[in-house]
């Protein structure tokens, strides 16, 4: 049975219409007057066809063939270059890009739904446009007018690609340790020299330019993170019209041998007296890079969601086809979808995917509000929501996405362990999403050390208040199980929030961080289930109503009770984690 | 940093001496008069050296090279044949084998500790002796004297290897569907014809015979599982002295392309008019095979433990070496073992591995009691304990082993995703343990549908009573956190047990199964932590005391509270799992 994929456009439309109230929230914003959920559905249907027809067929073959390196040049797997050109020609790279620079200026909610489908169909491929968009957003926000004029239009459309070069072998999470140097030439440019590792899309054979955003130190730079600046370093030198005038000192020194995403060339990159230009202020490189990193963190969270969606779809298909044991009428062999534990494994994934998609759409709308709303305070409040949810989406969606891929593989039994079935690739591919763009532990630390306490905790209080407002008395179908469970989870989250706000020692926050983020996500998705279930009762057809209420009830019975266990672990404080002397581990 | 491994012999000795009371329990049994924990430590130290020095160096190279197939013959990765011969010559294959058939007759507790170290060092390798032992045990219990005389001595020593051939492409969990045929020749032998898949150790190039235990149907067999018989089918035909007289109709048709255990030849096997002999009664094949499967299920559980142990060891080593961020004194870069979340990830694994090893040892001792005790009732009670714990050890140890491998990989950040670090192999290898020998869902169904209700629930009540007896008032260090948490988990397990005993409909049991097994394991390992912590207070040196109390307190704070969430999911009954119509998944 080949891997199949049905773009979940119906679910997306339902979420836009009835869960996040897209038309009221977004179409009212300046620049969004012409968009609607209906238009979104048309657009996403086209995008979904592209993903299913052009990207999915390259996913397994790309995994087996991988990217290769010879003479400092990367060759991508068969079909990837053509698919990338088709993607750009279809306009998919420019969807949410700046209209001033060739972008289509469409809302973020459409963008992340496109991102989800690309990630379902081909995670390795998706990193090419994903990093390109992140680079263009960082350049748009922090670059000089001159740099933007020269590089931004082709980055925005995807004609040129982007890459981000942060990590060095000894400097991962702790970027303050990095050693790459940038020396001013005197004409406004710099010579950049150093070696970076784990550079996704660092090189490829698409025949275009690659714009590397490279963190490096100026000669007189302060030690640590305050001495880091950001540089734009193109693979190819070009004139003002974008014509190639020569090569730059940029080469792929090696490809990493990875557990997954084999078709994605993850490079060791050498910058050898490479010409570059400063983006933003000297010493403010991390600040500029964080624009790109925040964009990428959301993107990576969506990758987790995307892999989960396609893994669940194929588990469902297999469970309908595979005959083992007896069905409800006692005869057999019957499809294994009849077996309770097979259902349970699938429901673990399904009950995550749907509210995750809704929460992602809600976050994306907050991004549009933050970017476009005329009122300062409204923009600031939206910005704060996005700041809080960025680490949650990144870490929780990728942890649960990985778990979903593992459960979906388990539905296949022994066949799931074999390459040909395609399920084990989802597990290997999904695994990187928990690691890159800041490990999920780093995301959790971001949440507890910065987001929970920012502005005296007011944005967190506002977010929790918004959830609470939706958990008031509901229909009897929701009061039976979902609403009480969602309220209990919110109460756990409130107690845990008070605990991490009360003891801000690094050990207390570090001990609580991952459990707190998980609790935050479980409660937030419980909130989304309440919205989705209520919307289904009000607006859904019979099938939607039956489906969403059943999924919500599963979530209420099997997932929301975990909130109490997480609250208990957080309440235990730092001692259980810190007491053991390091030499006795 | 190459993968390292320190055999955990000290932990094993402590468990034997102080947690499971080995000398009192086992040395008192007939045939065990000469063994002691002290002897065990010497033996296991030797075994550990063999694993670390001979098997570990082949683990990564074996993964990269894999096993290959040409002309129906398998070639194993470099070094595997020599390592296997050294293993057999060292006597490690015969450790717990029947003394009447060249075995050493040593206790099971030593055997499973050897199994753990082999699994840590090289899971792919370990399946060769692991399956050989399972085959020899099934033959010993169900084979005729004639078959035993001819095949058992060489199987027991490991001079010849064993394999078990159950699965067919359309018949996995549901073995009643299998089609392989066995036709009597008239001289007491049969001609066996059919194709089996997923046959671990199905072929190799060790230059010895391979004894396949094959499930097949006689011509007049009933449909379903009652028509299945078990046959001994050797790769090579031999005379009564074991000299090879010719080939048999047994060939490897293909090797599976797997996510992991690449060095283990997982074969599609063709039996083509292959000569075989009936083991046990016609139509009782599953019964005979279950002897082997129960042995293998425990073995697979121990594989999960073994992979977890080596993964944690290497995460600890990396966390001491890797410098990122600041240490407790505010200076940096400091080893990441100082960071709370890195500690938490390691503690998740460490706090599982230690009580799992103790619970495995306890189970192994019950096996020796079941096999050797002079009193019928004592043997029966021990047998019931083993029956209950077999699915728990198989499923919980492999689920938690996989989760431990994932957490340990996460400690490495991006480096953990790269082949060279060796951590991603542990994740890929560990993944199969959740699937083979009956998926973990099947184990959970075995627990709730058979083990929990057997003999009217008396064995379960006895097991829970034994836990309860150890959770009485303890030292103040244990009353602070561990004992109350362990009692709460036991209370949850009692309530959940009553629930699964009360509604024995297939949907109710199936909906509860996996959560119930997890709860069972969490409470059982909490019990073991109580025994280990109490023993550490009484017998441990300062380091042991500090270490085990800290690990136990982590388990009490972060793991035991999960019992409540699992109890809640079980209490919700089958409806949340069964309500969704199959076509709406």
């Amino acid at each position: 049975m080949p891997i199949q994929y049905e773009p979940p456009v119906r679910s997306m439309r339902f979420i836009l219409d009835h869960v996040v109230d897209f038309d009221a929230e977004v179409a009212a914003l300046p620049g969004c007057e012409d968009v609607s959920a209906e238009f979104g559905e048309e657009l996403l249907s086209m995008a979904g066809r592209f993903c299913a027809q052009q990207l999915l067929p390259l996913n397994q073959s790309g995994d087996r063939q991988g990217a290769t390196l010879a003479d400092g040049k990367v060759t991508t797997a068969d079909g990837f270059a053509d698919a990338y050109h088709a993607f750009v020609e279809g306009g998919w790279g420019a969807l949410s890009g700046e209209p001033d620079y060739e972008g289509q200026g469409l809302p973020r909610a459409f963008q992340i739904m496109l991102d989800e489908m690309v990630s379902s169909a081909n995670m390795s491929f998706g990193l090419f446009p994903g990093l390109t968009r992140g680079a263009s957003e960082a350049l748009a926000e922090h670059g000089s007018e001159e740099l933007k004029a020269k590089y931004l239009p082709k980055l925005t459309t995807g004609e040129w690609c982007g890459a981000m070069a942060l990590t060095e072998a000894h400097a991962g999470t702790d970027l303050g340790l990095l050693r790459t140097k940038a020396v001013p030439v005197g004409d406004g440019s710099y010579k950049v020299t150093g070696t970076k590792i784990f550079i996704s899309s660092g090189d490829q054979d698409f025949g275009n330019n690659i714009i590397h955003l490279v963190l490096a130190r100026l000669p007189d730079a302060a030690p640590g993170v305050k001495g880091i600046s950001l540089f734009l370093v193109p693979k190819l030198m070009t004139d003002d019209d974008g014509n190639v005038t020569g090569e730059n000192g940029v080469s792929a020194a090696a490809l990493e041998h990875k557990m997954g995403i084999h078709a994605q060339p993850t490079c060791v990159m050498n910058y050898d007296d490479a010409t570059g230009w400063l983006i933003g202020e000297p010493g403010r490189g991390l600040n500029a890079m964080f624009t790109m990193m925040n964009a990428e963190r959301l993107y990576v969270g969506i990758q987790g969601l995307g892999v989960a969606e396609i893994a669940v779809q194929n588990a469902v298909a297999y469970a309908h086809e595979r005959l083992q044991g007896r069905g409800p009428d006692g005869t057999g062999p019957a499809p294994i979808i009849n077996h309770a534990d097979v259902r349970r494994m699938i429901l673990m994934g399904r009950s995550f995917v749907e509210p995750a998609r809704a929460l992602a759409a809600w976050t994306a709308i907050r991004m549009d509000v933050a970017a476009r709303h005329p009122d300062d305070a409204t923009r600031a409040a939206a910005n704060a929501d996005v700041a809080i949810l960025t680490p949650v989406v990144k870490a929780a969606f990728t942890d649960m996405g990985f778990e979903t891929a593992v459960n979906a593989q388990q539905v296949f039994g022994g066949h799931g362990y074999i390459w040909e079935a395609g399920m084990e690739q989802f597990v290997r591919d999904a695994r990187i999403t928990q690691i890159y763009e800041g490990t999920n532990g780093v995301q959790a630390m971001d949440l507890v050390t910065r987001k929970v306490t920012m502005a005296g905790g007011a944005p967190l209080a506002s977010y929790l208040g918004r959830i609470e407002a939706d958990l008031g008395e509901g229909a009897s179908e929701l009061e039976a199980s979902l609403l009480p469970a969602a309220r209990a989870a919110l109460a756990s989250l409130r107690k845990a929030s008070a605990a991490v706000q009360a003891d801000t020692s690094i050990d207390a926050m570090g001990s609580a961080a991952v459990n707190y983020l998980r609790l935050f996500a479980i409660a937030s998705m419980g909130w989304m289930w309440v919205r989705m279930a209520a919307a289904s009762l009000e607006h859904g057809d019979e099938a939607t109503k039956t489906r969403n209420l059943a999924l919500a009830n599963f979530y209420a019975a099997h997932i929301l009770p975990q909130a109490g266990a997480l609250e208990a672990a957080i309440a235990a404080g730092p001692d259980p984690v810190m007491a053991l002397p390091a030499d006795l581990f």
Side-chain angles (χ1 to χ4, degrees), chain A:
Chain A
M1 194 174 75
I3 290 291
Q4 45 193 269
Y5 178 58
E6 174 74 27
V9 176
R10 226 175 125 242
S11 159
M12 291 170 175
R13 175 71 193 267
F14 185 84
I15 287 168
L16 291 174
D17 278 341
H18 304 303
V19 185
V20 298
D21 209 358
F22 179 87
D23 285 354
E25 293 275 341
V26 177
L29 294 172
C32 295
E33 296 82 358
D34 297 337
V35 301
S36 64
E38 189 181 356
F39 168 73
E41 183 181 1
E42 282 172 38
L43 184 81
L44 294 167
S45 297
M46 281 203 299
R49 276 194 296 277
F50 180 87
C51 293
Q53 292 170 7
Q54 310 268 346
L55 302 183
L56 183 62
L58 305 179
N59 196 37
Q60 276 182 279
S61 58
D63 179 63
R64 294 269 68 85
Q65 187 183 359
T68 52
L69 176 74
D71 303 326
K73 306 280 182 199
V74 166
T75 303
T76 55
D78 294 345
F80 272 65
D82 287 346
Y84 185 78
H85 296 138
F87 186 88
V88 171
E89 280 153 29
W92 302 115
L95 193 86
S96 62
E98 292 272 344
D100 291 347
Y101 294 93
E102 308 286 336
Q104 297 166 35
L106 288 168
R108 286 274 170 182
F110 299 168
Q111 179 68 56
I112 58 132
M113 287 170 171
L114 167 63
D115 294 344
E116 182 201 317
M117 294 189 290
V118 171
S119 301
S120 288
N122 198 320
M123 234 187 80
S124 286
F125 177 90
L127 285 164
F128 292 112
L131 287 161
T132 299
R133 197 168 76 247
S136 75
E137 287 174 14
L139 184 61
E141 191 166 330
H142 302 282
S144 67
E145 291 307 319
E146 204 181 336
L147 281 180
K148 288 202 278 191
K150 183 161 177 182
Y151 293 100
L152 200 46
K154 287 185 196 293
L155 265 180
T156 303
T157 60
E159 188 179 337
W160 289 350
C161 284
M164 58 194 292
L166 290 74
T167 304
E168 300 177 11
H170 59 287
T173 297
D174 192 350
L175 288 167
L177 302 176
L178 68 82
R179 297 182 191 137
T180 296
K181 292 270 171 218
V183 180
V185 172
D187 62 353
S189 75
Y190 297 79
K191 291 291 184 191
V192 177
T193 302
T195 298
K196 299 282 186 178
I197 66 169
F198 301 156
I199 310 306
S200 297
S201 308
D203 192 36
Q204 29 78 352
D205 55 352
F206 298 169
N208 61 359
N209 206 353
I210 305 172
I211 310 305
H212 295 248
L213 302 198
V214 182
L215 290 181
R217 293 182 182 286
L218 292 168
D220 55 350
V225 294
K226 289 175 185 160
I228 299 175
S229 305
L230 182 63
F231 297 86
L232 183 156
V233 181
K235 173 185 179 181
L236 303 170
M237 304 302 290
T238 53
D239 64 21
D240 286 347
D241 297 327
N243 301 307
V244 175
T245 57
E247 301 213 326
N248 198 2
V250 174
S251 61
L255 285 178
E256 305 286 3
H257 304 112
K258 306 187 300 292
M259 184 182 191
I261 54 167
H262 291 160
Q264 167 54 230
T266 308
C267 299
V268 176
M269 291 300 305
N270 279 342
Y271 304 94
D272 189 9
D273 268 348
T275 299
W277 291 269
L278 188 64
I279 297 178
E281 302 290 309
R284 300 276 295 159
L286 271 195
N287 180 54
M289 190 55 107
F290 260 101
T291 299
M292 181 163 184
M293 286 183 67
N294 279 325
E296 296 307 328
R297 284 173 176 187
L298 282 171
Y299 185 80
V300 171
I302 301 300
Q303 287 185 316
L305 168 59
V307 176
E309 171 67 37
I310 191 168
V312 169
Q313 284 193 20
N314 283 277
V316 171
Y318 187 79
H320 278 291
E321 186 175 274
R322 177 75 171 170
L323 308 177
Q324 301 272 285
R326 286 164 200 283
D329 61 358
T331 64
I336 61 174
I337 191 81
N338 293 294
H339 302 329
D341 189 57
V342 170
R343 294 174 148 257
R344 188 195 58 79
M345 289 189 278
I346 297 171
L347 289 166
M348 291 290 289
R350 261 278 158 256
S351 70
F352 149 65
V353 163
E354 298 287 341
R357 183 176 294 129
L359 189 64
W362 187 86
T363 306
I365 289 176
R366 301 301 286 157
M367 293 174 81
D368 281 321
V369 171
R372 300 175 191 255
H373 201 280
D375 177 55
D376 287 353
T378 305
R379 280 205 312 280
N383 236 328
D385 283 331
V386 175
I388 289 173
L389 281 163
T390 295
V392 176
V393 168
K394 195 284 181 181
F397 286 19
T398 59
D399 280 349
M400 295 175 187
F402 176 73
E403 292 157 19
T404 299
V406 170
N407 269 323
Q409 179 191 22
Q410 190 77 12
V411 170
F412 281 64
H415 297 280
Y417 199 65
I418 306 298
W419 293 353
E420 286 77 357
M423 301 301 289
E424 60 91 36
Q425 183 188 348
F426 294 138
V427 174
R428 288 186 290 103
D429 285 358
R431 186 69 185 88
I432 189 58
T433 64
Q434 303 172 281
I435 297 171
Y436 63 13
E437 293 306 333
T439 64
N440 285 357
V442 168
Q443 304 301 322
M445 285 302 277
D446 178 42
L447 180 64
V448 296
T449 63
R450 281 184 285 269
K451 306 306 173 60
V452 160
T453 51
M454 68 184 183
L460 176 68
S462 159
Y463 179 78
L464 298 180
R466 193 189 303 255
I467 296 181
E468 181 133 8
D470 282 345
L471 304 188
E473 197 177 331
S476 61
E477 292 93 332
L478 310 187
E479 289 292 349
S481 162
L482 177 61
L483 273 166
R487 288 178 199 128
L490 179 62
S492 288
L493 179 57
R494 282 197 182 280
K495 280 186 213 149
S497 299
V500 296
Q501 286 170 330
D503 184 351
T504 58
S505 69
I506 190 73
D507 289 345
M509 291 190 294
S511 301
V514 162
N515 287 323
Y516 179 78
L517 187 146
R518 182 93 175 187
L519 170 53
F520 195 106
I522 284 173
S524 296
M525 288 195 279
W527 168 44
M528 283 294 141
W529 263 128
V530 169
R531 291 176 83 139
M532 289 182 67
S536 302
L537 285 175
E538 199 177 341
H539 305 288
D541 55 22
E542 274 310 306
T544 302
K545 213 178 290 185
T546 303
R547 182 173 193 263
N548 280 343
L549 283 172
L551 291 174
N553 283 335
F554 177 85
Y555 190 85
H558 285 244
I559 308 297
L560 283 171
Q562 295 172 12
L566 295 163
E567 182 199 337
I570 295 163
D575 193 58
V577 172
M578 302 308 298
L580 186 61
D583 59 343
L584 293 182
F585 261 76

